Amino acid sequence: MSTESLLEIRDLSVTLPTDSSELRAVRGVSLDLRRGETLGIVGESGSGKSMTALALMNLLPPAARRQAAGIHFGDADLATLGEKELAGRVRGRRIGMIFQEPMTSLNPVYTIGRQLIETMTIHGGTSVAAARRRAIELLEKVGLPDPASRLKQYPHEMSGGQRQRVMIAMALMNEPELLIADEPTTALDVTIQAQILHLLSELQRELGMAMILITHDLGVVSRAADRIAVMYAGDIVETGTTEAVLSAPRHPYTQGLLECVPGYREASARRLGSIPGIVPSMTGEIRGCAFAARCPRAVPRCHQEDPPRRPVAAGQSDGAARSFVCHDPEETRGRGFAGGDTATGPAIRRGGDSVLRVDDASCTFSVRRGLFGKRKPLRALDRVSLDIRKGEVLALVGESGCGKTTLTRTIMGLQTPDAGTVTLAGRPLGEQPARQRARLIQPIFQDPYSSLNPRQTIGDLIRRPLVINRLGDAREQRARVHRMMDYVGLPSRVFNSFPDQLSGGQRQRAAIARALILDPEIVICDEPTSALDVSVQAQILNLLLDLRDELDLTYLFVTHDLSVVRHLADRVAVMYLGEIVECGPGEQVLNRPKHPYTRALLDSALSIEPALGVPAPDLAGDFPNPMNRPSGCPFHPRCPLADQRCRQRVPATETLDGTLVKCWKADTPPPSAPLDVRPDHNNKEDAAP
């Protein structure tokens, strides 16, 4: 890694006008970035991460006001360049950007080829033919097979991971000196996430780029970044090398974020730390430390005086490169964020009698390709058997398209299986009236903003299931809603509020209250924390565990976050291409997996371990098209252990060490661990700025 400075930001501020005052989105940020270095910017939503990146290229709302003592990028000061110079010389040419959601960033009416080629030709000096060759070269480099044919495709014809690869190729068309990646792996499967980060690491090393990685995922930044800048309320509150900051955080906010991460503490059964409140909107006059209202270490002067920036003393970790902004009161050192050893409430017997059984369920859909194409069968579930036991948390994991959603819809009675049966509370699901099913099983969806009617108040939304099922009069229903709001930690003042007036965590609490208002036996949690900040995720996970114990609930928890699975699951079921390929106790499946696919998922997961770097993906290829299922074992085209028997014969389900596994190679040791491809980011000679 070079010691030559590429980017120097000095005292950058961004102000947005509001109806009554001004919002200070970025407050005096100063950062340095060297050539070939990766800087990770982390923090909750609203902390100013994306606004800082957009301000570099002046891609701000028209009413926004940007001020800076200097934004020196190579030989140019971006703070003084006009719009014409920025558009012609900097954006897309010297600085590339990967946006968070590729489907909204790619033009749906233009082909991939047109969008890639225009990225290069719009700056002049390059022919269409040369740009086309460059596009094909980059699509091949980012791992898309048959890149020439991809140029004719439209964004909707690609998977999420493929679209993200296209965005990476587009950002690299002009070989930029700096790549800004804004949440490049959010909402992607754990395997695709590992592939994208590995790809960025390789391309960065090959092209000598610097990179700014914006994310709220501390596992991602711990593996991919050389240095970290922690943002809160528009300011950098701590910065230093990745290993130093994550191993010995100095700012209470950094410590709080880490305590919110499942698996950060030694005992996975312990409650997660929880940061109360939300990031404040920085409007009007700011007095004292912006974090003081949420900080367990705050003393009176924290609320009254601006905190100083403190360099870490020389000789302590990475002292020369580290600093943090805090009064650091001695009298409160050692205080942490609220957590606990176990969930509250009475202990219950988990994993008892089965409350729901799925026996050999299969679902096949008829899908037409194109307007005049022939219909072809798509087998979404293939003889799936599963049982959910009283009081347990059963985690269902697998890549997008594996059949998790179809299985949960089948369990809720929203999808009728072609074959097999679903038994709920001892009776076949099909024989139970819809209202009876609704009182036994309820869902919590991924995005609380889209699952809550924006035209109804929170009180009406939670009360609605009682109205539909005609349970109690209006007074009794209202009292029951208030009790449930107390259970989930919603203040009574939001009873008459609308969803857009609540924070993300409060909206998810409202969704949980609505799901529990009928006292269901089973709750299906469909990625309930994937759209939330890590601090809010910790609150929701603690709440779900508390409610399970207090209300004697049973959870089917659908997620792709294996750290969450490790934290709360009693049993784990792994799905692949419509089949359950492994199912057993959480400790057994996560620590001693039998199926190669389970091993690949676990190898791709990014825990907070900076020394390990980005894992090299050992799972070849993309998830197969369910309309063209492979013969034999469905996993064999991607399996490193596959042989001729795997290609020809469907494996039977067997029990090994208490785990059900569907694999011919379940007793075969895994291949050697993948190599760490990340450059040596911990070189002591490179530690100084």
Side-chain angles (χ1 to χ4, degrees):
M1 182 173 61
S2 171
T3 58
E4 180 186 352
S5 177
L6 173 67
L7 178 67
E8 295 179 0
I9 303 173
R10 294 292 176 265
D11 201 20
L12 171 65
S13 296
V14 176
T15 305
L16 299 167
T18 64
D19 292 338
S20 58
S21 59
E22 290 184 329
L23 188 152
R24 299 179 61 182
V26 180
R27 302 183 297 131
V29 165
S30 295
L31 285 172
D32 294 293
L33 182 67
R34 292 170 288 185
R35 293 187 183 276
E37 182 181 51
T38 298
L39 172 67
I41 303 181
V42 300
E44 296 168 282
S45 298
S47 60
K49 307 185 300 296
S50 297
M51 193 67 73
T52 300
L54 294 172
L56 299 183
M57 298 180 285
N58 204 24
L59 290 173
L60 296 170
R65 188 172 72 253
R66 181 186 70 168
Q67 293 178 314
I71 306 176
H72 298 286
F73 179 64
D75 55 356
D77 185 356
L78 304 185
T80 61
L81 288 183
E83 176 61 25
K84 186 175 181 180
E85 291 175 297
L86 281 171
R89 292 173 47 194
V90 179
R91 297 186 197 131
R93 191 169 188 174
R94 298 183 64 189
I95 301 179
M97 189 158 186
I98 304 170
F99 295 95
Q100 178 172 349
E101 177 45 64
M103 193 61 197
T104 57
S105 303
L106 295 170
N107 193 321
V109 301
Y110 289 164
T111 62
I112 296 300
R114 176 171 176 174
Q115 296 180 66
L116 287 168
I117 291 168
E118 281 186 353
T119 302
M120 198 168 187
T121 57
I122 198 171
H123 293 285
T126 304
S127 67
V128 172
R132 187 177 188 277
R133 288 194 296 270
R134 173 71 173 165
I136 294 174
E137 174 190 345
L138 282 174
L139 289 180
E140 184 176 15
K141 196 178 291 289
V142 299
L144 285 178
D146 194 12
S149 67
R150 299 285 183 178
L151 298 182
K152 301 176 183 178
Q153 290 186 313
Y154 290 88
H156 72 273
E157 298 179 276
M158 295 183 165
S159 67
Q162 290 172 337
R163 288 193 294 265
Q164 194 65 289
R165 285 178 165 88
V166 170
M167 286 295 300
I168 294 173
M170 188 177 296
L172 299 178
M173 282 293 289
N174 293 297
E175 298 189 7
E177 300 166 64
L178 169 63
L179 181 65
I180 301 174
D182 189 359
E183 301 278 9
T185 61
T186 297
L188 295 180
D189 291 320
V190 63
T191 52
I192 303 300
Q193 174 180 264
Q195 291 173 19
I196 294 297
L197 290 176
H198 184 265
L199 170 64
L200 287 173
S201 178
E202 286 190 319
L203 291 173
Q204 181 184 16
R205 181 173 54 179
E206 180 181 334
L207 302 176
M209 302 183 299
M211 185 162 66
I212 296 177
L213 179 62
I214 300 171
T215 182
H216 66 266
D217 190 328
L218 293 174
V220 168
V221 81
S222 77
R223 300 295 193 93
D226 303 301
R227 289 193 302 120
I228 289 180
V230 182
M231 283 198 78
Y232 184 79
D235 194 13
I236 302 293
V237 297
E238 183 164 6
T239 185
T241 62
T242 300
E243 187 170 6
V245 171
L246 297 183
S247 61
R250 299 300 298 270
H251 196 281
Y253 180 58
T254 311
Q255 179 65 39
L257 289 177
L258 287 167
E259 290 188 12
C260 291
V261 177
Y264 175 69
R265 291 176 170 178
E266 292 183 4
S268 62
R270 297 175 66 177
R271 285 168 54 83
L272 300 171
S274 179
I275 305 177
I278 60 174
V279 179
S281 58
M282 306 305 291
T283 56
E285 183 182 357
I286 302 166
R287 187 177 181 184
C289 174
F291 187 60
R294 307 173 69 191
C295 182
R297 296 186 55 201
V299 296
R301 73 173 180 274
C302 297
H303 297 272
Q304 300 164 1
E305 304 172 12
D306 291 341
R309 180 168 294 277
R310 299 174 178 270
V312 177
Q316 295 184 23
S317 301
D318 181 28
R322 289 197 64 186
S323 67
F324 65 106
V325 179
C326 184
H327 287 295
D328 196 22
E330 293 186 13
E331 59 267 37
T332 58
R333 287 181 183 170
R335 286 189 192 173
F337 289 84
D341 293 333
T342 60
T344 59
I348 62 171
R349 183 171 61 90
R350 301 177 192 162
D353 297 335
S354 175
V355 293
L356 185 142
R357 288 188 59 87
V358 181
D359 294 298
D360 286 334
S362 297
C363 283
T364 304
F365 302 103
S366 181
V367 179
R368 186 195 302 274
R369 281 218 155 179
L371 184 60
F372 302 104
K374 292 184 178 180
R375 289 189 174 274
K376 293 186 65 176
L378 187 155
R379 198 185 316 163
L381 295 182
D382 188 15
R383 300 188 65 184
V384 169
S385 294
L386 193 68
D387 72 294
I388 304 176
R389 303 167 187 170
K390 179 67 175 176
E392 75 172 352
V393 179
L394 173 62
L396 184 64
V397 301
E399 295 171 282
S400 298
C402 70
K404 301 190 299 293
T405 298
T406 303
L407 178 57
T408 56
R409 286 176 57 84
T410 302
I411 288 173
M412 288 189 289
L414 302 177
Q415 176 68 46
T416 303
D418 307 326
T421 59
V422 179
T423 306
L424 177 61
R427 292 179 57 196
L429 192 67
E431 297 179 3
Q432 301 185 32
R435 288 185 179 177
Q436 177 66 23
R437 294 200 304 265
R439 297 192 63 176
L440 290 172
I441 188 165
Q442 280 287 312
I444 302 170
F445 296 105
Q446 177 175 352
D447 184 358
Y449 194 80
S450 60
S451 64
L452 298 177
N453 190 329
R455 297 183 178 182
Q456 290 187 321
T457 65
I458 296 301
D460 288 339
L461 286 165
I462 299 173
R463 178 187 170 198
R464 185 64 179 165
L466 299 176
V467 175
I468 292 174
N469 288 275
R470 301 170 185 168
L471 298 176
D473 57 28
R475 184 176 57 82
E476 292 171 337
Q477 291 173 356
R478 186 181 181 91
R480 192 164 174 177
V481 169
H482 277 291
R483 285 199 302 272
M484 187 53 64
M485 289 176 66
D486 288 339
Y487 261 122
V488 301
L490 275 177
S492 58
R493 68 175 183 273
V494 306
F495 185 91
N496 293 315
S497 300
F498 291 90
D500 64 346
Q501 297 174 297
L502 273 62
S503 68
Q506 288 176 324
R507 285 196 292 267
Q508 194 62 292
R509 288 173 187 269
I512 293 172
R514 182 179 61 178
L516 300 183
I517 197 71
L518 294 177
D519 296 327
E521 187 88 10
I522 302 171
V523 179
I524 296 180
C525 304
D526 188 1
E527 300 274 10
T529 61
S530 66
L532 303 176
D533 287 323
V534 64
S535 56
V536 182
Q537 172 183 270
Q539 296 173 18
I540 298 301
L541 292 178
N542 285 342
L543 172 64
L544 289 173
L545 289 176
D546 290 346
L547 291 173
R548 178 195 61 176
D549 291 352
E550 292 173 11
L551 303 178
D552 200 11
L553 297 172
T554 302
Y555 292 141
L556 174 61
F557 203 97
V558 181
T559 184
H560 67 268
D561 190 334
L562 294 179
S563 64
V564 171
V565 173
R566 191 178 293 275
H567 176 70
L568 57 77
D570 299 307
R571 287 193 302 136
V572 178
V574 183
M575 282 197 79
Y576 186 82
L577 208 59
E579 301 180 13
I580 301 290
V581 297
E582 185 164 1
C583 183
E587 191 274 337
Q588 175 75 28
V589 172
L590 297 174
N591 295 326
R592 293 178 294 280
K594 305 296 183 184
H595 199 283
Y597 179 60
T598 310
R599 294 185 197 129
L601 290 178
L602 292 168
D603 288 342
S604 299
L606 301 179
S607 56
I608 300 181
E609 297 177 275
L612 295 183
V614 179
D618 58 350
L619 191 57
D622 292 324
F623 193 84
N625 187 339
M627 296 175 64
N628 298 305
R629 293 175 63 89
S631 60
C633 173
F635 185 61
H636 86 258
R638 307 171 72 189
C639 181
L641 302 176
D643 58 16
Q644 193 63 26
R645 179 174 59 168
C646 302
R647 299 181 184 95
Q648 294 177 345
R649 297 174 54 193
V650 177
T653 301
E654 57 180 322
T655 301
L656 293 174
D657 299 330
T659 301
L660 296 174
V661 61
K662 198 171 184 179
C663 179
W664 293 118
K665 300 286 186 176
D667 55 352
T668 303
S672 58
L675 298 176
D676 175 11
V677 300
R678 191 176 72 165
D680 184 5
H681 294 164
N682 299 315
N683 190 311
K684 297 303 180 183
E685 296 179 359
D686 289 338

